[in-house]
């Protein structure tokens, strides 16, 4: 049975205010795909879903970039090298590989940035058309993984809401400009729902696929409990359909989601 | 030690551990993570005649030693269940219990009637106690007369074994248990979740999209034990106990309170293989506390029957 396993923590680093990245190692992580997640045991009654920030399939290593928002994530962030994390992984539907000949925008907000870095790390090297990375944060101290992108040969465009780094504002304006130059483009995005709703609206009608990675409070993580749902099509007179973020996502095509209900 | 449990209408569990409804999907979801055939049984997620959308998210919230949920009985409906899940369930070598839900008495009867012919289904659990839906369900669960009507119609619809799942959210849950036994229920399962609430301070909103939710997990175990104990001493049919079970010792507490078998749910989210671990450890734990058999433990902590107690009262 492919049950839970204990992955060894090989690296821990503070990457920004209240954000820690742990690199964990286990052979069962070899097949992980960008956009997928690990469901991590904590002392509470629920595991915590964390998407992969980087994946080294050969070594069976994956990164878990955690934002401390409550006791569960604080516990994960306090683990040390040499300890293990009990996890169910890899779970969920990750990103579909991008078309290497179509312009590609990767748009990340806050703790939504890590899965996009893993996508860039996996597929950026073979991308032939132009690519553009837009990273958003509330303030300079919260910008994530910009150096990682630079190390992987791409200069990300950084936006902060208070203007303390990069362009003042959100990822929305730079994306709008990119879309006007690249109507044949494809987009991957992950971030808060408000940001994804804007991305979804802006990308209506573009030629390439728009893949949105969602976050939701989760129960079992494997499709059984129907807790982590997101409003989806088809919408009926009495409400939307609900799809499971853990198994039908976390990555959805924009057409699958019912944004007026989210 | 033989862990077999003999229940009414020739329903035989290979051991007393059943996956609780709502925590184990419709069966296939956990097949990758759990050897389902090792379990005593599986109670699948609630099934209604037509699809139910369920409640808006967020649908879960962690609380101290507990879990609040407001799923709202989302399910794909009877036809989809028969087409997509029943074929898998037919392959299982364990007891499969269909948890059935409805807005009306006739809806409960319709599901029971349709699944009476389905070989995948060995028994029914009539869910009149989910706190997360507004119409139907709980309106039957808190009224002994209405519960009696539901059970009577289900009894007409099927000869398969039927248990009724009882709500803890009323002063005297055993009045409902007594009524459904009168209407022909073969067993009682208890308890469903305890209604509760949490507030998300960051959003200044109720934490759950459904505003209130059902509390499960170890936080409710004392509530569950007390209700199982009270029901077991009042009805003559087997009680299936549940509420916060995490260990073989927890199972033993429910057995001693009067349950003949148990259901395990919330802990599965943390440890998908915990039920298998409990089954493996149960014979040793029974022996450690001096029991030669499973049967011997059932009701071992029960005080003298109510009639005797009342006889002794001044």
């Amino acid at each position: 049975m492919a049950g839970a396993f204990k992955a060894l923590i090989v690296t821990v680093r503070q990457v920004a205010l209240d954000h820690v990245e742990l690199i964990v190692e286990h052979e069962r992580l070899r097949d992980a795909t960008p956009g997928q997640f690990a469901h991590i045991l904590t002392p509470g009654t629920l595991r915590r879903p964390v998407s992969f920030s980087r994946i080294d399939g050969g070594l069976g290593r994956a990164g878990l970039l955690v934002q401390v928002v409550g006791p569960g994530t604080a516990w994960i962030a306090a683990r040390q090298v040499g300890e293990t994390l009990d996890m169910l992984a890899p779970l969920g539907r990750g990103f579909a590989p991008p078309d290497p000949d179509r312009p590609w925008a990767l748009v990340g907000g806050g703790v939504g940035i890590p899965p996009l870095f893993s996508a860039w790390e996996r597929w950026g090297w073979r991308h032939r058309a132009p690519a553009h990375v837009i990273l958003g944060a509330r303030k300079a101290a919260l910008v994530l993984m910009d150096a990682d992108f630079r190390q992987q040969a791409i200069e990300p465009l950084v936006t902060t809401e208070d203007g303390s780094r990069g362009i003042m504002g959100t990822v929305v304006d730079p994306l709008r400009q990119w879309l006007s130059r690249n109507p044949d483009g494809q987009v991957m995005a992950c971030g808060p729902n408000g940001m994804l709703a804007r991305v979804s609206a802006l990308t209506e009608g573009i030629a390439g696929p728009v893949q949105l990675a969602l976050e939701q409070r989760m129960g079992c993580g494997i499709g059984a409990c129907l807790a982590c749902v997101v409003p989806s099509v088809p919408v009926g007179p009495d409400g939307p359909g609900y799809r499971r973020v853990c198994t039908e996502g976390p990555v959805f095509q924009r057409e699958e989601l019912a944004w007026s209900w989210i | 030690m033989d862990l077999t449990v003999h229940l009414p209408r020739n329903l035989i569990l290979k051991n007393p551990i059943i996956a609780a409804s709502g925590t184990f999907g419709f069966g296939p979801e956990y097949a990758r993570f759990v050897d389902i055939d090792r379990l005593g049984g599986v109670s699948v997620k609630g099934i209604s005649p037509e699809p139910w959308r369920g409640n808006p998210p967020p649908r879960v919230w962690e609380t101290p030693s507990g879990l609040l949920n407001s799923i709202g009985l989302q399910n794909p409906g009877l036809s989809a269940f028969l087409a997509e899940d029943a074929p898998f369930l037919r392959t299982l070598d364990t007891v499969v219990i269909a948890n059935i839900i409805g807005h009306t008495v006739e809806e409960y009867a319709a599901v029971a009637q349709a699944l009476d012919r389905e070989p995948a289904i060995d028994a029914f659990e009539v869910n009149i106690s989910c706190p997360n839906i507004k119409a139907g369900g709980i309106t039957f669960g808190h009224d002994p007369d209405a519960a009696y009507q539901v059970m009577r119609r289900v009894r007409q619809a099927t000869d398969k074994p039927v248990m009724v799942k009882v709500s803890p959210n009323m002063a005297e849950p055993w009045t409902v248990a007594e009524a459904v036994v009168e209407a022909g229920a073969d067993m009682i399962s208890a308890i469903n979740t305890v209604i509760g609430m949490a507030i998300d301070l960051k959003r200044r909103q109720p934490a759950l999209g459904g505003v209130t939710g059902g509390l499960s997990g170890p936080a409710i175990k004392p509530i569950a034990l007390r209700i199982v104990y009270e029901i077991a001493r009042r009805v003559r049919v087997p009680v299936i106990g549940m509420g916060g079970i995490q260990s073989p010792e927890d199972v033993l507490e429910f057995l001693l309170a009067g349950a003949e078998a148990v259901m395990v749910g919330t802990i599965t989210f943390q440890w998908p293989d915990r039920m298998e671990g409990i089954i493996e450890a149960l014979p040793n734990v029974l022996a450690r506390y001096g029991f030669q058999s499973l049967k011997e433990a059932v009701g071992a902590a029960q005080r003298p029957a109510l009639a005797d107690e009342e006889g002794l009262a001044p």
Side-chain angles (χ1 to χ4, degrees):
Chain A
M1 287 292 128
F5 58 89
K6 291 188 192 307
L8 180 69
I9 300 169
V10 295
T11 308
V12 178
R13 64 184 184 111
Q14 178 97 23
V15 295
L17 181 66
D18 292 333
H19 290 76
V20 171
E21 186 180 32
L22 304 99
I23 310 292
V24 296
E25 187 177 292
H26 194 281
E27 60 178 20
R28 299 256 292 276
L29 294 168
R30 286 177 190 274
D31 300 329
T33 299
Q36 288 189 300
F37 66 98
H39 209 25
I40 301 170
L41 190 73
T42 71
T45 46
L46 286 176
R47 289 172 179 261
R48 295 294 190 278
V50 181
S51 60
F52 299 119
S53 53
R54 63 186 83 230
I55 299 160
D56 185 331
L59 288 175
R61 286 188 178 181
L64 301 164
L65 203 163
V66 180
Q67 179 186 20
V68 176
V69 292
T73 45
W75 183 87
I76 295 171
R79 296 309 92 205
Q80 304 291 321
V81 170
E83 294 184 82
T84 58
L85 285 175
D86 185 295
M87 60 182 67
L88 294 162
L91 298 178
R93 178 174 71 166
F95 290 107
D99 176 350
D101 296 309
R102 190 183 278 287
W104 179 22
L106 298 95
V107 186
V111 80
I113 291 168
L116 295 171
F117 177 73
S118 74
W120 175 253
E121 193 186 37
R122 173 74 56 99
W123 296 304
W125 62 274
R126 67 166 178 81
H127 200 72
R128 289 183 289 262
H132 190 42
V133 175
I134 308 170
L135 308 180
R138 278 190 289 116
K139 56 183 182 178
L142 294 171
V143 176
L144 300 179
M145 302 195 89
D146 55 319
D148 293 293
F149 279 103
R150 248 174 255 118
Q151 268 180 19
Q152 295 288 324
I154 192 161
E155 182 63 37
L157 182 83
V158 173
T159 68
T160 51
E161 288 171 28
D162 67 354
S164 54
R165 269 276 307 276
I167 297 169
M168 183 161 141
T170 70
V171 297
V172 171
D173 286 334
L175 176 62
R176 185 186 287 117
Q177 289 161 21
W178 184 86
L179 288 165
S180 67
R181 294 192 306 272
N182 298 280
D184 57 337
Q186 58 191 330
V187 175
M188 291 183 186
C190 185
N193 281 345
M195 179 198 114
L196 292 180
R198 299 291 303 277
V199 170
S200 179
L202 282 177
T203 53
E204 185 174 2
I206 72 165
V210 178
Q211 302 187 65
L212 306 173
L214 268 65
E215 186 179 49
Q216 184 57 280
R217 287 187 179 270
M218 214 170 262
C220 67
I222 59 114
C225 74
L226 306 185
C228 63
V229 296
V230 57
S232 310
V233 295
V235 175
D238 55 337
Y242 287 113
R243 297 193 200 195
R244 296 164 293 185
V245 171
C246 68
T247 43
E248 293 162 272
V251 177
F252 292 90
Q253 302 292 325
R254 68 175 291 285
E255 297 77 16
E256 296 178 289
L257 302 171
W259 283 103
S260 57
W261 291 84
I262 297 176
Chain B
M1 192 183 291
D2 181 18
L3 293 180
T4 312
V5 181
H6 293 268
L7 295 170
R9 295 185 191 244
N10 289 321
L11 185 68
I12 297 170
L13 312 179
K14 61 179 82 168
N15 63 64
I17 309 300
I18 303 168
S21 180
T23 63
F24 212 70
F26 295 97
E29 295 89 348
Y30 267 110
R32 265 173 70 203
F33 302 95
V34 181
D35 185 355
I36 300 176
D37 287 347
R38 289 188 64 191
L39 306 180
V42 172
S43 185
V44 300
K45 198 160 161 46
I47 304 159
S48 53
E50 301 295 327
W52 285 11
R53 293 183 186 281
N55 290 337
R59 288 179 171 182
V60 283
W61 193 264
E62 189 179 272
T63 66
S65 298
L67 171 60
L68 268 175
N69 88 79
S70 167
I71 310 295
L73 296 175
Q74 176 177 341
N75 83 96
L78 181 60
S79 305
F81 171 76
L82 285 169
E84 286 155 34
D85 300 307
F88 169 81
L89 293 170
R90 275 178 226 142
T91 69
L92 294 180
D93 179 27
T94 190
V95 163
V96 176
I97 301 165
N99 184 286
I100 63 176
I101 53 179
H103 293 307
T104 65
V105 172
E106 286 313 312
E107 287 191 3
Y108 281 96
V111 182
Q113 194 156 10
L115 294 180
D116 182 58
R117 297 187 295 268
E118 170 51 56
I121 301 304
D122 302 299
F124 291 99
E125 181 177 48
V126 181
N127 184 354
I128 52 170
S129 45
C130 177
N132 289 327
I133 50 168
K134 285 169 186 72
I138 201 73
T139 52
F140 302 110
H142 288 169
D143 176 351
D145 294 335
Y148 178 93
Q149 297 301 331
V150 173
M151 183 58 225
R152 207 182 57 160
R153 276 297 285 119
V154 170
R155 185 75 288 164
Q156 290 164 356
T158 181
D159 288 327
K160 288 180 177 175
V162 178
M163 65 187 76
V164 175
K165 192 167 186 176
V166 169
S167 166
N169 301 305
M170 58 188 299
E172 298 184 320
W174 45 88
T175 58
V176 169
E178 288 165 337
V180 295
V181 169
E182 181 76 27
D186 302 300
M187 292 163 276
I188 300 295
S189 56
I191 57 173
N192 210 315
T193 54
V194 178
I195 197 162
M197 187 174 185
I199 306 290
D200 181 351
L201 294 177
K202 285 177 191 154
R203 291 187 300 123
R204 302 185 185 188
Q205 293 283 332
L208 296 171
V211 181
T212 60
L215 184 65
S216 64
I220 70 165
K221 198 185 85 177
I223 299 171
L225 276 168
R226 180 262 181 166
I227 293 174
V228 165
Y229 176 87
E230 295 290 354
I231 291 174
R233 61 198 281 137
R234 284 173 167 85
V235 300
R236 296 191 181 280
V237 302
V239 179
I240 315 292
M242 81 195 88
I245 291 174
Q246 296 193 302
S247 67
E249 288 80 5
D250 290 340
V251 174
L252 219 57
E253 284 196 62
F254 275 90
L255 295 175
L256 268 64
E260 300 212 12
V262 298
M263 292 184 175
V264 176
T266 303
I267 191 67
T268 302
F269 296 161
Q270 285 171 283
W271 303 95
D273 59 354
R274 178 62 61 87
M275 284 186 285
E276 293 170 80
I278 289 174
I279 292 162
E280 209 162 294
L282 196 54
N284 280 339
V285 175
L286 279 162
R288 188 184 314 148
Y289 288 95
F291 296 104
Q292 315 284 327
S293 71
L294 182 72
K295 190 75 195 165
E296 199 184 317
V298 174
Q302 279 280 350
R303 290 307 187 70
L306 274 184
D308 300 343
E309 207 171 72
E310 278 159 10
L312 291 171

